[in-house]
Amino acid sequence: MATAVTAPVPDTGAAVRDWARRAGALSPVLAVIALLLVPGGGGAQGGTGGTGTVADAASGLLVLVCLVRVARGGTRPLTRAAAVVLGLPVLGVCLSAITSHDQAASLPGVARYMQIFVLVPGAVLLMIRDRRDFAVVAWGLVAFALLQGAVGVAQYLTGTGASYQGEDVRAVGTFGATDVMGMATVVAYGLVVATGLALGSGPGRVRTAATACAGLLLVPLVLSFSRGAWIATVLALALQLLLAGVRRAARVALVAGALGVVLVGGLGIGSEMVKERVTSITRVTAAPDQSVTDRYTMWAAAGRMWRAEPVTGVGLKGFPRYRDSNASLALSSGSDTAGAGAGFARQPLLSPHNMYLLVLSEQGLVGFLTLVGSWVALLVGALRRQRRGADCALVATGLLVWQLIDFFYADIGGPSTVLMSVVFGLAAWWSVAEVRRA
């Protein structure tokens, strides 16, 4: 008589304990993400401006904890490739500070660039030991995005968001009206991560949960009314889908299109405002609004600064100082902010809102080649390891592509910037670290 063979029952308790243990080991990284819920003390300062938030302090503690662990380990912490790729930006940043016309004013910029593009990414890379650690941090980003997205949707429904077209309906999460890109960036990160996990080769329940999270995050992203975040997200998700397979890409595109029709067309979620915002993307050259005109004007000013100092730029934090002498009269005095618990204010335009032009103007060609070269090297590394693990590869590639596209419309500045450093560290682990299986 044949004996029935039963499949082994997974030990759920052991899995939960493993995740808890890993979360404890990664607590310095997760704390940086979680503490972004604490409102910052400053606005969305452009360029190299810092905000001194609690999350920034936590990122410094993360670096210290990582240094202690490395010192105790007694082994070479980084591979040669990782050290070169993460160390490249140091050359351009330091050279720009040394050749700056105001070296004292450039020092805070040096600290900010080292924090965002070197120290914190390196610390995150060293804290992650294997793919399960990678998954813990990735899901931490998704959870944080869901929290910020929930706050944003509530702001839209209750009319307590940032001001947009005369109504306080713009979803900004806990970042406030002075950092309207903050929630959009966080939600976009979460959506890209969730999509990568959903398209990966993980267990079915993981892919199902990731798919549900991605669907939920679409709503606050739409309600952020951020054109730059929309464009970057669409292109990043399209690349992820193509890397996961053309047939799957076609099926998901149909489902996403149907979901968009239901949310915007059927349920009427911000339908008129969303339609107007999408339409405005095609009018950025024919009939630009004042915000687009300001951006074009600042881009032109950044170009003139670079042509004046093509090798090393005008110096870190030099854009605000040289802006007026290089900008045309079309530039307004600032952008209007209001809502989300804050009164009306004029926010000064302190950066070109284009990371590539900001680096060119302040750091010159040397800084541009070293910093952008580091990012491109990370992207190439992520693509080369595509076959080693679908989940990690899709997440890392998607995040890097999203960020590099978004840099055409944004730069560093504001409380949410520190999360960018965590994202770069997560992607760097997959791209240049010695990847080990869990």
Side-chain angles (χ1 to χ4, degrees):
M1 182 177 180
T3 303
V5 179
T6 58
V9 179
D11 189 347
T12 306
V16 172
R17 288 192 295 272
D18 179 64
W19 270 76
R21 176 177 59 81
R22 291 176 181 275
L26 293 166
S27 57
V29 180
L30 299 177
V32 176
I33 300 174
L35 288 175
L36 278 168
L37 289 169
V38 180
Q45 299 182 32
T48 53
T51 54
T53 64
V54 178
D56 286 311
S59 72
L61 182 61
L62 165 63
V63 174
L64 290 177
V65 170
C66 183
L67 289 175
V68 171
R69 290 189 181 183
V70 169
R72 288 181 175 180
T75 59
R76 188 176 69 177
L78 294 174
T79 64
R80 185 175 301 175
V84 171
V85 171
L86 291 179
L88 269 177
V90 178
L91 175 62
V93 169
C94 292
L95 181 61
S96 176
I98 292 172
T99 59
S100 173
H101 298 295
D102 189 347
Q103 296 179 357
S106 295
L107 288 179
V110 174
R112 189 62 163 167
Y113 272 95
M114 292 300 101
Q115 174 200 13
I116 300 304
F117 298 115
V118 180
L119 296 177
V120 176
V124 173
L125 182 154
L126 293 171
M127 294 290 289
I128 297 175
R129 298 162 298 178
D130 52 41
R131 296 182 185 185
R132 289 188 180 179
D133 280 0
F134 183 98
V136 171
V137 178
W139 278 107
L141 290 173
V142 174
F144 181 61
L146 288 171
L147 287 173
Q148 288 288 351
V151 174
V153 172
Q155 290 170 334
Y156 172 80
L157 295 176
T158 58
T160 55
S163 178
Y164 179 74
Q165 293 185 353
E167 300 181 53
D168 293 343
V169 294
R170 188 169 191 174
V172 292
T174 62
F175 295 102
T178 56
D179 188 13
V180 293
M181 281 293 296
M183 189 214 71
T185 299
V186 169
V187 169
Y189 285 156
L191 179 55
V192 170
V193 171
T195 301
L197 295 172
L199 296 173
S201 55
R205 62 182 182 278
V206 173
R207 297 199 304 271
T208 301
T211 302
C213 291
L216 291 172
L217 290 171
L218 280 173
V219 179
L221 181 63
V222 170
L223 298 180
S224 70
F225 300 110
S226 173
R227 292 172 293 197
W230 290 351
I231 294 171
T233 303
V234 169
L235 294 178
L237 296 187
L239 177 62
Q240 286 180 309
L241 290 169
L242 290 175
L243 292 175
V246 178
R247 291 184 179 180
R248 181 183 291 184
R251 291 197 299 268
V252 174
L254 289 174
V255 173
L259 182 61
V261 171
V262 171
L263 289 176
V264 179
L267 300 181
I269 297 180
S271 54
E272 290 301 321
M273 291 183 176
V274 171
K275 181 180 178 181
E276 188 278 334
R277 196 64 166 170
V278 171
T279 305
S280 70
I281 296 176
T282 63
R283 298 199 308 262
V284 292
T285 56
D289 54 35
Q290 185 58 48
S291 66
V292 176
T293 299
D294 286 339
R295 188 160 301 189
Y296 286 161
T297 305
M298 291 189 294
W299 287 2
R304 294 188 186 98
M305 293 179 201
W306 173 61
R307 286 191 291 273
E309 298 286 348
V311 179
T312 58
V314 298
L316 294 176
K317 300 199 72 175
F319 183 88
R321 188 165 59 252
Y322 293 96
R323 182 199 63 185
D324 292 341
S325 60
N326 288 277
S328 69
L329 296 178
L331 182 66
S332 66
S333 60
S335 59
D336 299 340
T337 63
F344 175 82
R346 293 285 289 175
Q347 187 173 343
L349 304 174
L350 303 178
S351 76
H353 295 291
N354 180 304
M355 190 65 193
Y356 304 107
L357 290 176
L358 176 66
V359 174
L360 269 177
S361 63
E362 292 189 343
Q363 300 182 43
L365 195 58
V366 174
F368 180 86
L369 291 177
T370 53
L371 192 57
V372 178
S374 174
W375 303 336
V376 173
L378 291 177
L379 180 58
V380 171
L383 290 171
R384 289 182 63 184
R385 292 182 171 183
Q386 184 68 29
R387 296 182 179 179
R388 296 190 183 184
D391 301 36
C392 298
L394 291 173
V395 169
T397 303
L399 287 173
L400 288 171
V401 168
W402 188 94
Q403 192 63 70
L404 296 184
I405 294 173
D406 185 69
F407 275 159
F408 284 102
Y409 316 101
D411 49 48
I412 59 175
S416 60
T417 300
V418 71
L419 190 64
M420 182 194 304
S421 64
V422 175
V423 165
F424 271 114
L426 187 66
W429 178 82
W430 176 252
S431 300
V432 294
E434 185 177 351
V435 177
R436 294 178 294 174
R437 292 186 178 273

